[in-house]
Amino acid sequence: MSVPTILIPFEQLVALGLKHSDQVHYQLSPEELIQDTLRLGEGVLNDTGALVIRTGEFTGRCPKDKFIVKDAITAGTIHWNEFNLPLEEKYFHIIKRKVVDYLAACPEIWVRDAYACADPRYQMNIRIVNEKPWINLFAYNMFLRPTEEELEDFTPEWTILSAPGLKLDQSECGTRQSNAAVISFTYKTILIAGTGYTGETKKGIFTLLNYILPLEKKVLSMHCSANIGKKGDTALFFGLSGTGKTTLSADGNRKLIGDDEHGWTADNIFNFEGGCYAKCINLTSEKEPEIFQAIRPGALVENTNFFPGTTRINFDDGSITENTRVSYPLGYISNAQEPSVGAIPQNIFFLTCDAYGVLPPISKLTTAQAMRSEERRVGKECTI
């Protein structure tokens, strides 16, 4: 993708409250974002040219610190529970002001326009404003990328403001601790403060799509991977994190639709995203060649260590976290489906990590058993 020559309109920054920012980097290429990260001393290149960073204190999502603003839209339409945590609207305004003031005071910020949903009927335009260039690279990798022509009249529907360096006062902000991810459906804004874990950005968009698509568009939102065979047969792979969705979907004999988030309409399934966010603990070229080969210039690797004295990643080292990750555009997979849309699925797989021997290694479920299995799975997920 060529670097757009257009600039983000100044009045749009003013509308966000960011007019005081000294330098705004808009829609930079991956190469430029990598150079900015290296310039700031916040990452290094590995031996294959991928950018390797550390996300800081948080190396995973914090479900107990993700809040949805409870207001006229959501009060009666969300199942409030231990996963869907409510936040009073007054606290949203307090946190937003702190995030905006913090970003406005940063010497540099990075802004990206992108969209979610590969089916144009459901496209959602997103503007991401970051304190860190490597989080902006993550957004480039993970969301769908508009063309330069599309950017000329791009209007964001949702905005993500990310300030990992901002620590919140929980007594003032109504949060559990100094970090939080807050979603407001009224103001169509996601606020991320106090955490540099990039997955908060991606899961914030999935959360709002998980609310909007079934309720307003009659589309089933799904946490699953998907691929398609040579005869057009689509397969879905459901499972909790770490059960093998990404690995199984990256099958060299089938085209990859997506590895994590999809919608199911009356006539197709489509990927929400434009990239993959794969776990890379114990990654090898023999077991997962497509993912291994995707770790190259433009890919973002998180929280890994090198072999001593080298820039070669030790994928078996989980001393920082077992949740080591790599993000990369879908096009890094050689057999990616373009566009990332498939027919109504013919096969659905439920993946488990059954440590107790309750299920055989492979089980063919009846319709009733499959419904019960999915009900249990959803009960363990962070869903609306």
Side-chain angles (χ1 to χ4, degrees):
M1 176 181 175
S2 61
V3 180
T5 56
I6 59 174
L7 300 175
I8 185 171
F10 178 74
E11 62 271 15
Q12 294 185 16
L13 290 178
V14 172
L16 289 173
L18 295 172
K19 60 183 178 181
H20 300 302
S21 297
D22 290 342
Q23 192 168 4
V24 178
H25 303 285
Y26 178 61
Q27 217 70 5
L28 295 193
S29 68
E31 295 76 14
E32 290 172 308
L33 293 169
I34 290 167
Q35 288 305 312
D36 282 350
T37 302
L38 298 176
R39 170 174 58 83
L40 295 171
E42 297 187 356
V44 296
L45 298 180
N46 82 323
D47 60 335
T48 66
L51 180 63
V52 181
I53 58 94
R54 295 191 179 183
T55 60
E57 178 184 358
F58 297 99
T59 58
R61 291 187 299 113
C62 301
K64 293 184 178 180
D65 298 303
K66 187 185 80 173
F67 302 93
I68 300 170
V69 177
K70 191 173 185 179
D71 54 24
I73 292 177
T74 60
T77 55
I78 286 180
H79 178 205
W80 302 105
N81 53 31
E82 59 185 302
F83 299 118
N84 299 320
L85 302 174
L87 187 74
E88 293 181 49
E89 187 170 338
K90 66 177 182 180
Y91 292 126
F92 168 80
H93 293 297
I94 292 172
I95 296 171
K96 183 181 179 184
R97 174 44 53 195
K98 290 183 177 296
V99 170
V100 167
D101 288 347
Y102 179 88
L103 291 172
C106 289
E108 301 176 84
I109 59 172
W110 287 262
V111 180
R112 176 160 304 281
D113 287 338
Y115 66 94
C117 300
D119 188 327
R121 295 175 297 179
Y122 308 102
Q123 180 175 322
M124 175 183 288
N125 289 352
I126 305 162
R127 174 162 292 157
I128 306 104
V129 182
N130 301 122
E131 176 191 0
K132 301 294 186 181
W134 43 271
I135 297 182
N136 206 261
L137 176 63
F138 175 84
Y140 173 89
N141 286 345
M142 293 307 303
F143 296 123
L144 290 152
R145 295 160 284 278
T147 64
E148 186 167 346
E149 292 72 25
E150 290 171 329
L151 287 170
E152 291 177 358
D153 56 358
F154 187 93
T155 301
E157 184 177 356
W158 277 78
T159 301
I160 303 174
L161 303 177
S162 171
L166 172 64
K167 302 299 182 182
L168 301 175
D169 181 339
Q170 53 263 47
S171 62
E172 182 184 3
C173 298
T175 57
R176 187 177 71 98
Q177 50 187 25
S178 60
N179 64 294
V182 180
I183 301 173
S184 169
F185 285 92
T186 295
Y187 297 98
K188 296 188 175 182
T189 298
I190 298 174
L191 307 174
I192 300 172
T195 173
Y197 182 62
T198 58
E200 294 287 5
T201 298
K202 145 188 172 66
K203 283 300 181 183
I205 293 298
F206 178 66
T207 298
L208 66 91
L209 288 171
N210 207 23
Y211 176 86
I212 292 170
L213 289 179
L215 188 66
E216 299 180 5
K217 307 294 185 180
K218 308 304 179 186
V219 172
L220 175 64
S221 57
M222 304 179 292
H223 178 202
C224 68
S225 62
N227 62 24
I228 187 168
K230 295 177 181 178
K231 296 181 179 180
D233 54 307
T234 300
L236 303 181
F237 302 86
F238 289 88
L240 296 173
S241 179
T243 53
K245 295 188 300 298
T246 299
T247 301
L248 289 172
S249 61
D251 184 331
N253 296 315
R254 297 170 65 84
K255 289 190 174 182
L256 175 68
I257 298 173
D259 81 325
D260 199 46
E261 300 170 4
H262 295 82
W264 186 338
T265 77
D267 55 24
N268 71 5
I269 67 109
F270 63 90
N271 194 353
F272 290 170
E273 303 178 301
C276 297
Y277 192 40
K279 281 193 171 184
C280 50
I281 190 71
N282 301 320
L283 179 67
T284 66
S285 59
E286 294 76 23
K287 292 181 179 179
E288 299 172 275
E290 292 281 358
I291 298 172
F292 192 88
Q293 292 165 16
I295 301 178
R296 50 191 169 97
L300 179 69
V301 182
E302 301 175 7
N303 301 314
T304 58
N305 283 316
F306 296 130
F307 286 103
T310 76
T311 56
R312 186 163 63 92
I313 297 173
N314 181 358
F315 291 110
D316 295 329
D317 186 345
S319 59
I320 299 174
T321 177
E322 290 288 315
N323 189 38
T324 54
R325 294 273 185 170
V326 56
S327 67
Y328 48 85
L330 270 173
Y332 277 31
I333 299 295
S334 60
N335 58 336
Q337 172 83 343
E338 180 61 40
S340 47
V341 176
I344 296 295
Q346 294 183 2
N347 296 285
I348 301 175
F349 298 89
F350 296 99
L351 310 176
T352 67
C353 288
D354 183 19
Y356 301 100
V358 176
L359 291 174
I362 299 177
S363 304
K364 187 173 182 179
L365 305 181
T366 66
T367 300
Q369 290 171 330
M371 292 174 66
R372 181 58 176 162
S373 175
E374 176 64 357
E375 179 183 335
R376 289 179 175 177
R377 183 196 69 80
V378 171
K380 295 181 180 180
E381 298 265 357
C382 187
T383 58
I384 288 178

